Amino acid sequence: MNRRPLCFGRLLLVVLLGTWSLPLTGQPLSGPAAPAPTSAPANEPQSPTYRPDSLYPLDGLLAERQAALNFDPLTGIGQLLSGGDLIRFKLGEGLFLFGGSLISWLEPVRWVDGRLQAPGATLQAMGEWFALRRAERTALTSVAVILIDPGHGGRDPGAVGLFGSGSAAWQAREKDITLAIALELYRQLTQLWPDKTILITRTGDTFPSLEDRVSMANGLELGVNEAIIYISIHANASFNARANGFEVWYLNPEYRRTVLDDSKTEGHSQDVLPILNTMLEEEYTTESIFLARAIQDGLSAQVGGQTSNRGVRAEEWFVVRNARMPSVLVEVGFVTNEAEAQRLSTEAYLQKLTKGIYNGVVSFVDYFEQRRTPSTP
Ligand SMILES: [Zn+2]
């Protein structure tokens, strides 16, 4: 059997069929009946043939695309994951989210006879999209942009630790520490990846607003398979002078943010926006957690013997929650702890912190671009 070329034209056709088809009857609407589903020949990957309007369990699609199904009965949201590509759907809803941005209307997945089932046209569209993505991804997926954001600056010093008195008085300022680390991280990443766009929100003692920092990233035009990651660097302060250590924050998954532009849903009901945002948010959150863990591990390897590893944390940071991309905020240490403030004032310690963040970013990007697959035994 000839294999059909895969293209979006076909996908869109299927989408339209799905949109306009009549309520499910178990029978094709018109034309000759397609043959019943058959199993693929032993060594040639081949899509099952579906009747567009008949209901089938998702098993055939899962086997065909080696996909995993994750379904949450409480929210009714399901995810199909195949080789890093994700399709999200909601039970009984015609709205499907393919990857991060492609919205399609298909006949919905339903709960029938104690299991998830979908019409043949829906399964076919999903199977073809997975195949297309696989073909594209093989060559192209990359982290194209890394945005480094040294916290504070200019009139905003951030946290300040004041120590000693008289002629022995000295201080450690967050804005200086974050800039030193960010500039060195920028230099090292630019050297490692001349083909990637490495951006930094400030290179001197200036104060870009929080909106400026985030819009710098959100305004970038990216290719279909290009991603951007956002790393905000800060130092900590506490009334407890003994508090010390580093931690990495990512967005609290319970925070509901608007990650999708209204423009992408033109012509569709506003009702779907919350559903889409919930779906998309989960992807960013998952990637942000991976990135946070990678940086935390990197820091732990460099300075874990000298200060506390305070772990990976979730919070609703402004800079993070407005970024439509995997984003983390790194707290490198406490300027209010005298011993830590002294460390943070030495070139050698800042180099170690930079190396830790750098190693974390490199391992995340390697994972993301699938040069390594940690999940493979
Ligand atoms: Zn800060």
Side-chain angles (χ1 to χ4, degrees):
M1 177 179 159
N2 289 332
R3 301 183 61 188
R4 287 185 301 270
L6 295 159
C7 66
F8 272 103
R10 181 166 178 86
L11 176 61
L12 288 174
L13 177 65
V14 173
V15 169
L16 290 175
L17 281 173
T19 306
W20 288 333
S21 59
L22 297 170
L24 299 174
T25 60
Q27 296 297 321
L29 286 175
S30 60
T38 54
S39 54
N43 52 7
E44 188 187 325
Q46 191 175 344
S47 302
T49 306
Y50 301 110
R51 289 190 183 94
D53 298 300
S54 300
L55 279 176
Y56 301 87
L58 301 188
D59 309 27
L61 177 69
L62 298 180
E64 174 205 353
R65 305 293 356 153
Q66 286 147 29
L69 170 68
N70 180 1
F71 180 69
D72 178 355
L74 286 179
T75 62
I77 290 180
Q79 303 190 339
L80 288 157
L81 182 68
S82 170
D85 294 316
L86 198 55
I87 296 175
R88 275 155 280 196
F89 61 88
K90 189 165 186 201
L91 195 66
E93 303 268 358
L95 175 72
F96 288 70
L97 189 58
F98 289 75
S101 57
L102 180 65
I103 298 161
S104 290
W105 295 89
L106 301 167
E107 281 297 327
V109 177
R110 301 187 182 280
W111 188 259
V112 180
D113 297 336
R115 55 185 173 173
L116 293 170
Q117 302 204 35
T122 298
L123 292 171
Q124 180 122 358
M126 293 198 287
E128 291 186 358
W129 183 80
F130 275 136
L132 178 71
R133 285 289 299 175
R134 188 187 203 91
E136 287 178 344
R137 196 160 40 78
T138 309
L140 293 173
T141 299
S142 68
V143 172
V145 183
I146 298 171
L147 177 58
I148 304 164
D149 181 23
H152 312 279
R155 61 188 156 81
D156 171 17
V160 179
L162 296 167
F163 306 97
S165 60
S167 60
W170 63 282
Q171 61 179 13
R173 295 188 303 188
E174 180 180 2
K175 69 172 183 178
D176 301 329
I177 294 162
T178 60
L179 183 62
I181 293 170
L183 284 172
E184 181 59 15
L185 182 64
Y186 174 81
R187 192 190 66 76
Q188 293 182 13
L189 290 176
T190 305
Q191 198 168 47
L192 176 68
W193 288 315
D195 296 340
K196 293 190 194 301
T197 303
I198 317 292
L199 297 172
I200 188 164
T201 55
R202 65 180 177 100
T203 56
D205 190 17
T206 57
F207 181 73
S209 71
L210 293 175
E211 291 81 0
D212 290 343
R213 295 171 203 256
V214 172
S215 64
M216 188 170 176
N218 285 340
L220 288 165
E221 288 291 327
L222 294 174
V224 173
N225 295 309
E226 293 180 336
I228 176 170
I229 61 177
Y230 180 89
I231 303 156
S232 191
I233 299 172
H234 287 253
N236 233 329
S238 172
F239 289 115
N240 174 3
R242 284 175 300 184
N244 67 26
F246 56 92
E247 59 201 31
V248 185
W249 298 77
Y250 65 91
L251 185 78
N252 184 338
E254 286 170 19
Y255 186 84
R256 293 281 168 258
R257 59 193 163 150
T258 302
V259 288
L260 198 78
D261 280 332
D262 291 6
S263 60
K264 286 187 180 166
T265 55
E266 246 174 86
H268 298 317
S269 159
Q270 289 294 304
D271 304 349
V272 307
L273 270 178
I275 301 174
L276 283 172
N277 272 308
T278 305
M279 292 175 174
L280 202 50
E281 181 179 277
E282 281 168 15
E283 180 166 300
Y284 289 139
T285 302
T286 304
E287 287 165 357
S288 296
I289 294 172
F290 269 121
L291 179 59
R293 284 193 188 137
I295 291 176
Q296 191 73 16
D297 288 349
L299 286 169
S300 182
Q302 293 295 316
V303 299
Q306 286 171 270
T307 190
S308 310
N309 181 342
R310 297 165 61 90
V312 167
R313 297 169 178 227
E315 190 46 278
E316 298 166 8
W317 291 88
F318 179 90
V319 282
V320 178
R321 76 170 180 246
N322 284 298
R324 296 169 188 171
M325 65 203 79
S327 328
V328 296
L329 189 148
V330 185
E331 293 276 9
V332 294
F334 284 76
V335 297
T336 44
N337 176 304
E338 185 162 5
E340 187 135 280
Q342 273 168 350
R343 284 193 291 273
L344 290 167
S345 303
T346 67
E347 173 79 20
Y349 194 72
L350 295 181
Q351 283 286 356
K352 283 187 179 180
L353 290 169
T354 307
K355 194 73 188 165
I357 299 170
Y358 171 92
N359 286 340
V361 171
V362 170
S363 93
F364 173 82
V365 170
D366 278 352
Y367 165 76
F368 190 85
E369 296 181 347
Q370 313 217 346
R371 286 177 197 141
R372 290 183 216 149
T373 41
S375 56
T376 304

